[in-house]
Amino acid sequence: LPLGGITSGTQPILSFNYGAKNTDRIRKGEKEIAKMALLFCLVMFIISQTVSGVFVRLFTQNTEYIQLSVWAIKVFTFGIIPLALQYSFVDGLTALGIVKVSVTLSVFRKLFLVFPLALPAFFGAPAAFYAEPIVDIFCGIVSTIVFLSIIGKVLKKREQMPDGESLYS
């Protein structure tokens, strides 16, 4: 939720600068948003990989449950760092009015989750926990590639547009 707050909360800044044709500020803003999101996810990754047992012990003292829960948390959160890029770029595209691409990337992440969920059929039930990090890593990469491939064109087109005209209606 805090990651969504960081990336969604900065949409008005990007949108304002888009409307004002401040494309350099959009580039700088998107870099800063990505940095904040990456920093947050890095901190969460470190916490989940090092002290997750502390949080599990709030709910149980059973050694087996603790071991299993810590393992599951470590696996499930393994791909959280690339997820920062997915959130940053999808919300950034939304802020710029490129909703078709941002919704497509967001829905793609949810739909792609179905494929790794087949892992248990081949590797047993614990393999289901690997679905989330696989999707987070893959979709973080895909979102980054899509964003980087279109952002320059979008901002250049915006700079050339007459004031008051919308790029995407």
Side-chain angles (χ1 to χ4, degrees):
L1 289 175
L3 177 60
I6 292 168
T7 60
S8 297
T10 54
Q11 285 180 342
I13 297 166
L14 295 175
S15 295
F16 173 83
N17 284 295
Y18 178 78
K21 293 186 181 179
N22 293 330
T23 55
D24 288 337
R25 291 182 111 185
I26 293 169
R27 285 183 180 94
K28 183 179 178 188
E30 203 46 74
K31 286 177 187 173
E32 293 301 316
I33 294 163
K35 284 181 197 176
M36 285 188 293
L38 284 167
L39 178 62
F40 173 76
C41 285
L42 177 64
V43 169
M44 292 295 101
F45 176 79
I46 291 168
I47 289 170
S48 68
Q49 298 297 311
T50 58
V51 296
S52 52
V54 171
F55 300 103
V56 173
R57 285 182 189 87
L58 294 172
F59 300 97
T60 185
Q61 297 303 312
N62 182 304
T63 306
E64 288 180 52
Y65 291 160
I66 293 169
Q67 289 174 345
L68 180 60
S69 298
V70 168
W71 170 84
I73 289 168
K74 287 181 179 184
V75 170
F76 193 80
T77 60
F78 187 76
I80 198 169
I81 294 173
L83 186 63
L85 299 174
Q86 160 99 32
Y87 271 67
S88 298
F89 297 145
V90 166
D91 286 350
L93 292 170
T94 301
L96 301 180
I98 309 169
V99 179
K100 289 179 184 176
V101 176
S102 64
V103 167
T104 301
L105 289 171
S106 189
V107 169
F108 174 71
R109 181 171 180 270
K110 303 302 182 209
L111 293 176
F112 185 70
L113 188 60
V114 171
F115 296 107
L117 282 176
L119 290 173
F122 303 103
F123 303 105
F129 286 92
Y130 291 95
E132 186 74 20
I134 289 169
V135 169
D136 290 347
I137 292 166
F138 181 75
C139 291
I141 292 168
V142 169
S143 295
T144 301
I145 291 168
V146 169
F147 180 83
L148 294 176
S149 68
I150 67 172
I151 192 65
K153 296 172 197 165
V154 168
L155 295 180
K156 185 175 183 177
K157 191 170 182 178
R158 177 61 184 135
E159 289 170 349
Q160 296 170 349
M161 288 174 52
D163 289 339
E165 186 177 326
S166 176
L167 181 57
Y168 298 97
S169 302

